[in-house]
Amino acid sequence: MRLDFHEDHRLLFGTVLAGFVALSVVVAVAPAAWLQRAVPPTPGSRPLTALEQRGLDVYLSEGCVYCHTQQVRPLAQDTTRYGRASIAGDYARLRPTGPFHPTPRVLGTERTGPDLSNIAARQPSAVWHYLHLYQPRAVVQGSVMPSFPWLFEVRDSASAGDSAITVPAPYAPTGGVVVPRESARALVAYLLALRSASLPSSSSAPASGVVRETAAPVATPTSTDDGSAWREQGAKVYASNCAACHQPLGTGLPGTFPPLAGDAMVTAADPTRHIETVLFGASGSTIGGVRYTSPMPAWGATLSDADIAAVINHERSSWGNRAPLVSAADVATIRAQGGRRAQ
Amino acid sequence: MAKSRVDERYDTDQRLTRLVYAYLATSAVWLLLGTLVGSYLSLKFIWPDLGVAPALSFGRLRPVHVNLVFWGFASPGMLGLALWVVPRTCRTALASHRLAWIALALINLSVLAGALQLLSGITNGAGEFREFTWPVMGLFAIALVLLTITLYRTIAQRATRELYISNWYILAALLWTITLVVIAYVPWIQSGLADTVVQGYYMHQGVGMWFTPMSLGLAYYFLPKLLNKPIYSYSLGVLAFWTQLLFYTMIGGHHFVFSPTPWLLQTVAIVFSVGMLVPVVAGTGNFLLTMRGSTRSFARSYSLPFILIGVVLYFVGSTQGTLEALRSLNELWHFTDFTVGHAHLTMYGFVAFLIWGGVYALVPRLSGREPSHGAIGLHFWLSVVGLTVYVGALSIGGTLRGLSWLSGAPFIESVQLMAPFWLGRAVGGGLMLASHVVFAWNLWQMRPATVREVQAVTDVVALEAHVA
């Protein structure tokens, strides 16, 4: 028998099919089967609770994955923003839960919005997430994220057990209160479960990963410089980490996130409480007679002393605030004193 | 120069004409719906609070857009042309019309059911192109199996000794895609990062082993046919075929460069992405060398310009894909809108333009009805200008966005800087949508005569003969 691809269609298409199957096994099936068997979940991670799993279903149904990745690449542009690089074990707990319940695909391929692998560490406030889902532009000016009002219902008044959210005036419904439905509670529970488990090699960094490296090693005011170095750094750190809640102009959101412009703690001559609050976080504070239930994250876990000093100085010298500035050394001193939670 | 009329009329039986036309017509309907959704989505980047309802939200309509265009438009579009090209090049009749009609019904059923599921939030885990749930994709796969049987039997009973290269590509694409769907949907390799490896493999092969070889197979028929000369080099076509199989299969991992998938797998994907230059240069070179010296044919044909754009953008899009796989450029472009521009450059600039070239080349010769040359020109220029604006805006905007991320600026700045480019995309997309309306109109103008009309003509001829 002559082997002639041009004339023997059986030989041709048999080779074409067998070749493709063989290559597919090499490049997809075998590596996939191996990964599935060999990679255990990252130590320190935990399975999702039933509510969080339900939230992951909402995440997939609503197509969040088309605009948000959950993969932090081992590149400076990613790790400085989102925390430690993702590892295979971070996904090992994702699996199909039934014949009509396929594998959640969360890695994503596009970042119209930021990466969410570690969103719970950056944004641990459930209140913020509810408001952001209800109307993204109420908390982030310039956001193009869709709003998801169908995850909420508007009721005449909040009954016992409802956790109504405070929506800023331009976006609030004309009457009644906005209450998250079960789907919103599940989705927010899922988002708040997205926290990169810390790896043994980065144990020097508390809680949630890598201490960020600053572009300027010593971005701290001294008596001689004009402050331009830390000014730029402070504005950048503020925009990336603080503006989502406290807003770009330090106005806060009435009743939800406290203002920084004109705030007593920010303008106090003694910066100790200000530094403590940024380093160790706060929750349940009453400021100017208003009680804020939304927790403030402990930024000491992810920001360096120089970054914290820069952002504190940005807050102390912007929006009409004229308070004495601090140095990275001040921050280091208070960090060393340990984690008394600011009240 | 004025375009010349088609004066050739293929002597094909009405059954095949109607079958081919049905494939192309449903393809045009899904194209209109799919790009209507796409254009609507592009407006949401300008007015994020436009149309707030679950079924109108971006997260649900985005996969609807992609799947309608993939499985609803491009697939039956290519298959309709293939159903004509395969019997023609084999000099025999299509083995089974029945199976081909059933396949068309299954394709339409699966696209409709899949779109409705996605609108109601039912998705197969939201992996790109793999959003249809397995029962829906199963219907589609059965359709592909039926068509494979039909075309394979047609090839087996061919009247020619040698098998023309178009048939290599067309039947191989069917075999590869059925394999691909099976591997992508088997439940045993779907946990954790295993699923991502399969997704990378599937999402890229979906383009590379289905749309690419099908369109190339069609180009290997229509280009020499329209130029009335043989393809420049048959051997180059064969070389491109085998290297396509060998290299393209290996490169799916390049969608997950820098992800936690195994580094070796990513490197293999990058190496073979560079290797893809071999089939791309061989294929494009072959087409361009076939075109050489035929300037006059291009000026006088209204279908050849579509094929020229398709061939050129096959080269540009594929080369772009190779560049984007390189780690240094991947760091800049990955995750940005650049990728969306790239996807449209290839799927639209390459695949859709070749389908249109084939449609304008074939349908007038089947039905004897020709659309207005002005309207074909309008279709051509609206889609060329629309695509240029679209891809230009997203490529520039995507690059600037990548630079913004590299500079460490706050994320929201990278969102705000996209505003003019997203506007550009909406404008370009609007022109593309307008061109599809013109295309649908043109296709309607080319519709074959109905059975009753044919009967009427026959009666008149008979009557005249009787009178004479």
Side-chain angles (χ1 to χ4, degrees), chain A residues 6-7 9-10 24 32 36 61-62 66 71 77 81 91 94 99 102-103 105 109 111-112 137 147 149 236, chain B residues 49 59-60 121 124-125 128 131 134 152 158 161 163 188 190-192 194-195 201 259 331 335 401 408-409:
Chain A
H6 296 268
E7 291 179 24
H9 56 269
R10 274 189 206 170
S24 297
Q36 183 166 284
S61 284
E62 299 299 346
Y66 297 113
Q71 44 165 327
Q77 58 161 309
R81 251 192 208 100
Y91 309 93
L94 294 173
T103 308
R105 243 146 256 145
T109 50
R111 276 187 195 145
T112 306
R137 282 150 294 286
S147 52
K236 204 179 200 177
Chain B
D49 286 314
R60 295 200 189 177
N124 176 48
E128 279 154 322
E131 286 101 343
W134 69 259
Y152 184 82
R158 70 188 180 279
R161 208 161 61 91
L163 189 53
W188 311 301
Q190 306 257 342
S191 291
D195 178 79
Y201 161 82
S259 80
E331 180 171 3
F335 295 145
R401 199 164 191 205

Side-chain angles (χ1 to χ4, degrees), chain A residues 88-155:
Chain A
D90 295 345
Y91 309 93
R93 293 183 191 279
L94 294 173
R95 52 189 62 243
T97 50
F100 290 96
H101 228 111
T103 308
R105 243 146 256 145
V106 297
L107 271 79
T109 50
E110 194 183 348
R111 276 187 195 145
T112 306
D115 187 275
L116 299 182
S117 309
N118 200 23
I119 184 66
R122 277 179 288 138
Q123 191 46 273
S125 154
V127 174
W128 185 90
H129 284 292
Y130 284 128
L131 200 49
H132 186 241
L133 286 168
Y134 182 75
Q135 175 47 272
R137 282 150 294 286
V139 275
V140 184
Q141 289 281 319
S143 166
V144 294
M145 182 167 126
S147 52
F148 295 88
W150 57 89
L151 303 179
F152 299 82
E153 58 188 325
V154 179
R155 295 215 192 127

Side-chain angles (χ1 to χ4, degrees), chain B residues 5 73-74 81 106 128 136 140 142 154 172-173 261 367 398 409 425 445 457:
Chain B
R5 288 190 57 83
F73 157 62
L81 296 171
L106 288 176
E128 279 154 322
V136 168
F140 197 92
I142 292 171
T154 310
T261 53
S367 68
R425 170 192 26 211
Q445 296 299 314
V457 172

Side-chain angles (χ1 to χ4, degrees), chain B residues 129-423:
Chain B
F129 322 149
R130 195 155 55 133
E131 286 101 343
F132 284 178
T133 53
W134 69 259
V136 168
M137 206 57 200
L139 288 181
F140 197 92
I142 292 171
L144 294 186
V145 171
L146 295 182
L147 287 165
T148 308
I149 294 170
T150 307
L151 295 177
Y152 184 82
R153 279 173 50 203
T154 310
I155 288 171
Q157 67 194 35
R158 70 188 180 279
T160 58
R161 208 161 61 91
E162 294 212 343
L163 189 53
Y164 186 63
I165 188 85
S166 289
N167 299 310
W168 292 42
Y169 278 96
I170 290 168
L171 206 74
L174 281 161
L175 293 171
W176 291 336
T177 306
I178 293 166
T179 312
L180 194 59
V181 173
V182 171
I183 290 179
Y185 280 85
V186 293
W188 311 301
I189 41 172
Q190 306 257 342
S191 291
L193 215 53
D195 178 79
T196 301
V197 170
V198 174
Q199 175 64 15
Y201 161 82
Y202 175 80
M203 74 192 292
H204 209 89
Q205 314 306 327
V207 178
M209 306 314 272
W210 177 231
F211 298 107
T212 304
M214 275 295 251
S215 330
L216 291 178
L218 296 172
Y220 274 111
Y221 175 77
F222 284 108
L223 189 64
K225 178 75 197 161
L226 290 168
L227 293 173
N228 198 24
K229 59 178 173 188
I231 198 80
Y232 172 77
S233 160
Y234 206 84
S235 306
L236 267 183
V238 172
L239 171 74
F241 179 85
W242 292 117
T243 45
Q244 166 90 11
L245 167 61
L246 179 61
F247 294 166
Y248 214 119
T249 312
M250 310 299 278
I251 68 180
H254 79 193
H255 281 276
F256 290 96
V257 173
F258 294 120
S259 80
T261 53
W263 196 254
L264 175 65
L265 216 53
Q266 296 176 26
T267 304
V268 166
I270 295 168
V271 169
F272 282 95
S273 298
V274 176
M276 272 308 288
L277 290 173
V278 175
V280 168
V281 170
T284 323
N286 207 2
F287 292 130
L288 293 179
L289 288 168
T290 307
M291 292 176 194
R292 197 174 51 169
S294 303
T295 324
R296 208 178 146 72
S297 303
F298 277 88
R300 294 186 63 81
S301 161
Y302 49 71
S303 46
L304 278 170
F306 283 98
I307 293 177
L308 176 65
I309 294 277
V311 167
V312 169
L313 293 189
Y314 167 54
F315 177 76
V316 175
S318 303
T319 313
Q320 208 181 39
T322 297
L323 291 177
E324 211 180 336
L326 302 175
R327 287 201 173 94
S328 51
L329 289 169
N330 191 278
E331 180 171 3
L332 172 66
W333 283 330
H334 194 43
F335 295 145
T336 72
D337 294 85
F338 188 92
T339 313
V340 184
H342 167 69
H344 283 76
L345 187 71
T346 47
M347 265 307 290
Y348 192 87
F350 162 43
V351 178
F353 271 78
L354 281 183
I355 291 175
W356 291 327
V359 168
Y360 287 126
L362 178 63
V363 184
R365 288 172 167 85
L366 290 180
S367 68
R369 292 186 185 178
E370 208 167 335
S372 124
H373 292 182
I376 299 174
L378 191 62
H379 171 199
F380 180 79
W381 286 111
L382 282 175
S383 48
V384 168
V385 174
L387 179 66
T388 309
V389 172
Y390 187 106
V391 174
L394 289 187
S395 304
I396 298 167
T399 306
L400 292 177
R401 199 164 191 205
L403 290 171
S404 166
W405 290 345
L406 280 170
S407 78
F411 189 87
I412 191 72
E413 278 183 24
S414 79
V415 175
Q416 283 158 338
L417 74 80
M418 283 303 293
F421 302 103
W422 281 331
L423 179 65

Side-chain angles (χ1 to χ4, degrees), chain A:
Chain A
M1 197 183 100
R2 249 176 83 225
L3 289 183
D4 190 343
F5 288 124
H6 296 268
E7 291 179 24
D8 186 344
H9 56 269
R10 274 189 206 170
L11 175 71
L12 173 65
F13 295 121
T15 311
V16 156
L17 183 61
F20 185 66
V21 171
L23 290 174
S24 297
V25 168
V26 169
V27 82
V29 178
W34 174 78
L35 271 172
Q36 183 166 284
R37 216 181 42 244
V39 177
T42 306
S45 67
R46 62 169 178 82
L48 296 178
T49 65
L51 183 68
E52 289 160 357
Q53 182 64 44
R54 162 96 182 90
L56 173 53
D57 294 341
V58 177
Y59 186 87
L60 296 174
S61 284
E62 299 299 346
C64 305
V65 71
Y66 297 113
C67 294
H68 295 284
T69 54
Q70 286 185 34
Q71 44 165 327
V72 179
R73 300 171 294 177
L75 301 170
Q77 58 161 309
D78 275 23
T79 52
T80 50
R81 251 192 208 100
Y82 307 121
R84 72 154 170 85
S86 304
I87 58 170
D90 295 345
Y91 309 93
R93 293 183 191 279
L94 294 173
R95 52 189 62 243
T97 50
F100 290 96
H101 228 111
T103 308
R105 243 146 256 145
V106 297
L107 271 79
T109 50
E110 194 183 348
R111 276 187 195 145
T112 306
D115 187 275
L116 299 182
S117 309
N118 200 23
I119 184 66
R122 277 179 288 138
Q123 191 46 273
S125 154
V127 174
W128 185 90
H129 284 292
Y130 284 128
L131 200 49
H132 186 241
L133 286 168
Y134 182 75
Q135 175 47 272
R137 282 150 294 286
V139 275
V140 184
Q141 289 281 319
S143 166
V144 294
M145 182 167 126
S147 52
F148 295 88
W150 57 89
L151 303 179
F152 299 82
E153 58 188 325
V154 179
R155 295 215 192 127
D156 294 340
S157 60
S159 54
D162 283 351
S163 44
I165 56 167
T166 316
V167 181
Y171 302 102
T174 45
V177 291
V178 176
V179 179
R181 288 177 198 272
E182 192 258 346
S183 49
R185 290 203 304 275
L187 180 53
V188 169
Y190 172 67
L191 292 171
L192 293 183
L194 292 175
R195 185 187 286 270
S196 315
S198 59
L199 300 178
S201 59
S202 61
S203 56
S204 58
S208 65
V210 181
V211 169
R212 301 174 190 204
E213 291 169 22
T214 38
V218 186
T220 312
T222 64
S223 53
T224 51
D225 78 5
D226 62 354
S228 57
W230 68 260
R231 246 171 232 292
E232 197 186 312
Q233 184 67 7
K236 204 179 200 177
V237 175
Y238 184 83
S240 296
N241 304 292
C242 318
C245 290
H246 296 292
Q247 301 299 297
L249 297 179
T251 53
L253 283 177
T256 310
F257 304 113
L260 300 178
D263 175 71
M265 184 185 74
V266 176
T267 54
D270 177 8
T272 309
R273 269 203 63 207
H274 192 180
I275 296 175
E276 282 175 348
T277 306
V278 177
L279 270 177
F280 308 123
S283 63
S285 311
T286 301
I287 301 164
V290 181
R291 187 171 164 78
Y292 293 94
T293 51
S294 175
M296 155 101 174
W299 292 105
T302 48
L303 294 179
S304 69
D305 292 343
D307 274 346
I308 289 180
V311 77
I312 283 178
N313 288 334
H314 176 74
E315 292 167 2
R316 292 174 89 79
S317 61
S318 304
W319 323 303
N321 293 347
R322 293 282 174 276
L325 304 183
V326 304
S327 67
D330 299 337
V331 177
T333 310
I334 293 178
R335 191 197 280 271
Q337 284 165 7
R340 179 189 77 76
R341 281 206 165 259
Q343 289 305 307

